[in-house]
């Protein structure tokens, strides 16, 4: 049986080195502890956000995507290697058939102590309660504006009211702290940051502003639309007063702040202007079964083929461990190196 690592980018193959023997949870060559796996459950979506994918996006055929039992095999192997946190994303994770059962199965894997999800929220009104019952413990809802007309323009056809109903249902289901993700896109929602930030005053939510990242076929559009976190922060402070830095988790890419007297927090994810590579503890699984070692690098390792060739759990663990050992340090955006092989929707953020 062929279980050696299969590189998807030949140029990277030479740079891979075998992981040395060590005990305990996974680390990479730079000594970073890697214990957080983000899984894209599908590349498909029920929206087409302008910064994420083209309007006429084609999605992969079902057979090219990981089946549920294959995802579970990877989660079990990853948990045995010290992974403790799983985030389900997409495309849109809630459109995957059997999503509630998938959450239940993953949450019951020994060693996994948190299962979270990033969603556009459109289906949450029906799903929030069953997902919470199944063991979902963290929820990030992406919502870039509170203006229904702008929301439709950004998502191409999304209904803001449905997302808002979903958020209400998530709160009722006990999803705390609820995190709101907003990508700031010049000309689409850059002035909306203030209204979104205001949500953190009366609600215990974490409102996080994400810098637009260039990817694949929409990279050129994206580069023209980037608004830096510094700019967004200045806009918020000019309207709502100073933001005070608060203590946070070092591995969280969002730098946390609070407005005076606010119940919730405001965070900035500045992957373009201030990358957080030193604290990175994550690796990613794409819907078509590739381990992606850095969001913004096209370096990937194939798990789908070894799984379909009948590899053993130990083979799978060896492949994952070696891949993670070779996780790149940082992204190449400052040098003009933009990930080309995938759209954001195929990786999941
Ligand atoms: N469909 C789900 C959603 O929208 O939350 C999950 C997948 S989506 C790819 C995950 C996150 O990535 C969302 O918060 C989305 O706004 C963000 N995102 C998408 N394209 C992006 C880009 N080019 N730069 C930065 N963030 C992006
Ligand atoms: Fe779909 Fe999320 Fe991408 Fe929007 S950001 S198109 S909701 S995957």
């Amino acid at each position: 049986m062929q279980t050696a690592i299969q590189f998807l980018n030949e140029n990277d193959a030479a740079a891979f080195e075998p992981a040395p023997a060590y005990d305990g949870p996974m680390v990479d060559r730079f000594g970073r502890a890697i214990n957080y796996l983000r899984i894209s459950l599908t590349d498909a979506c029920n929206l087409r956000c302008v910064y994420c994918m083209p309007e006429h996006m084609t999605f992969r055929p079902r057979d090219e995507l990981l089946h549920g039992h294959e995802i579970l095999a990877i989660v079990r192997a990853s948990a045995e290697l010290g992974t403790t946190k799983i985030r389900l994303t997409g495309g849109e994770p809630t459109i995957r058939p059997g999503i509630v059962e998938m959450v239940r199965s993953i949450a019951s894997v020994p060693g996994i102590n948190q299962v979270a999800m990033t969603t556009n929220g459109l289906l949450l009104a029906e799903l929030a309660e069953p997902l919470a019952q199944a063991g979902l413990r963290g929820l990030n809802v992406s919502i870039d504006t509170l203006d229904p007309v702008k929301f439709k323009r950004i998502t191409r056809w999304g209904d803001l009211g449905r997302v808002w109903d979903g958020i209400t249902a998530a709160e009722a289901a006990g999803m705390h702290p609820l995190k709101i993700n907003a990508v700031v896109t010049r000309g689409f929602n850059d002035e909306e940051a203030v209204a979104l930030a205001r949500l953190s005053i009366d609600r215990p939510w974490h409102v996080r502003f994400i810098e637009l990242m260039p990817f694949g076929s929409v990279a050129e559009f994206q580069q023209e639309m980037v608004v830096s976190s510094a700019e967004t922060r200045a806009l918020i402070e000019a309207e709502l007063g100073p933001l005070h830095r608060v203590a946070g988790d070092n591995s969280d890419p969002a730098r946390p702040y609070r407005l005076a007297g606010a119940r919730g927090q405001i965070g900035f994810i500045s992957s373009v202007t201030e990358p957080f590579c030193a604290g990175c503890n994550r690796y990613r699984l794409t819907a078509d079964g590739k381990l992606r070692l850095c969001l913004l690098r096209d370096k990937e390792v194939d798990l789908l083929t070894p799984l379909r060739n009948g590899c053993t759990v130990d083979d799978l663990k060896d492949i994952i461990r070696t891949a993670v050992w070779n996780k790149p340090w940082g992204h190449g955006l400052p040098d003009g190196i933009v990930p080309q092989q995938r759209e954001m929707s195929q990786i999941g953020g």
Side-chain angles (χ1 to χ4, degrees):
M1 187 190 316
Q2 171 60 276
T3 56
I5 283 210
Q6 301 202 17
F7 304 99
L8 299 174
N9 179 343
E10 288 303 313
N11 295 333
D12 282 334
F16 266 65
E17 56 182 67
Y22 60 82
D23 290 330
M26 286 192 290
V27 291
D28 71 2
R29 285 175 298 165
F30 306 101
R32 294 176 292 188
I34 311 297
N35 59 5
Y36 175 15
L37 174 61
R38 299 171 62 99
I39 303 176
S40 172
L41 290 180
T42 170
D43 61 337
C45 189
N46 45 6
L47 295 178
R48 298 284 184 282
C49 301
V50 285
Y51 49 72
C52 182
M53 59 169 102
E55 184 165 5
H56 302 289
M57 181 79 180
T58 46
F59 301 112
R60 285 181 192 274
R62 187 72 199 89
D63 208 43
E64 288 180 17
L65 304 182
L66 285 169
H67 300 311
H69 69 275
E70 293 166 333
I71 294 174
L72 270 177
I74 293 169
V75 170
R76 283 195 201 100
S78 301
E80 286 179 24
L81 291 165
T83 298
T84 56
K85 177 173 176 182
I86 302 285
R87 177 169 297 276
L88 303 175
T89 174
E92 177 46 41
T94 57
I95 66 171
R96 181 165 174 130
I99 181 65
V100 174
E101 275 319 305
M102 171 75 76
V103 167
R104 198 185 315 281
S105 305
I106 293 177
S108 65
V109 170
I112 299 300
N113 56 30
Q114 192 188 1
V115 184
M117 181 182 283
T118 300
T119 170
N120 62 28
L122 269 186
L123 299 179
L124 270 186
E126 306 86 59
L127 283 174
E129 178 61 31
L131 285 172
Q133 296 285 342
L136 194 76
R137 289 293 169 266
L139 196 62
N140 293 9
V141 183
S142 305
I143 177 168
D144 299 329
T145 169
L146 299 181
D147 175 334
V149 176
K150 285 187 185 163
F151 187 77
K152 202 155 259 175
R153 194 169 157 235
I154 292 172
T155 58
R156 292 203 170 96
W157 55 70
D159 176 351
L160 183 62
R162 276 182 70 191
V163 178
W164 204 253
D165 291 346
I167 289 174
T168 309
E171 284 222 289
M175 301 277 192
H176 298 301
L178 194 65
K179 296 186 181 174
I180 303 291
N181 284 351
V183 175
V184 188
T185 310
R186 197 174 303 285
F188 282 86
N189 69 336
D190 38 339
E191 284 161 11
E192 293 293 298
V194 174
L196 287 162
R198 212 176 258 125
L199 292 174
S200 74
I201 297 176
D202 295 330
R203 299 168 175 85
W205 298 353
H206 294 193
V207 180
R208 296 131 45 97
F209 297 97
I210 304 175
E211 282 180 349
L212 187 61
M213 290 172 263
F215 268 93
S217 67
V218 275
E220 205 170 310
F221 159 85
Q222 290 156 334
Q223 268 168 325
E224 289 165 13
M225 306 293 179
V226 174
V227 180
S228 71
S229 292
E231 195 178 328
T232 304
R233 182 177 163 183
L235 189 72
I236 294 169
E237 290 195 309
E239 289 288 324
L240 302 177
L243 282 166
H244 305 282
R245 189 71 200 252
V246 292
D249 170 359
N250 269 351
S251 63
D252 186 346
R255 295 179 173 90
Y257 294 82
R258 199 185 288 278
L259 287 162
R263 291 179 69 202
Q265 293 185 9
I266 290 177
F268 297 95
I269 302 181
S270 322
S271 312
V272 177
T273 60
E274 289 175 77
F276 60 98
C277 307
C280 187
N281 64 344
R282 35 189 84 191
Y283 60 122
R284 294 171 167 82
L285 178 65
T286 64
D288 57 342
K290 315 295 182 275
L291 271 192
R292 189 163 174 110
L293 303 169
C294 169
L295 174 61
L296 287 155
R297 293 269 185 197
D298 281 330
K299 190 170 190 168
E300 294 180 355
V301 168
D302 186 12
L303 296 187
L304 183 84
T305 310
L307 272 169
R308 295 208 172 156
N309 286 343
C311 74
T312 66
V313 174
D314 283 342
D315 292 335
L316 193 58
K317 282 165 68 178
D318 274 352
I319 297 173
I320 296 172
R321 215 164 143 274
T322 305
V324 163
W325 177 256
N326 286 277
K327 180 177 159 66
W329 173 259
H331 66 68
L333 293 182
D335 307 319
I337 301 170
V338 169
Q340 296 293 344
Q341 288 176 9
R342 291 186 183 272
E343 311 296 344
M344 183 65 131
S345 55
Q346 296 169 325
I347 310 168

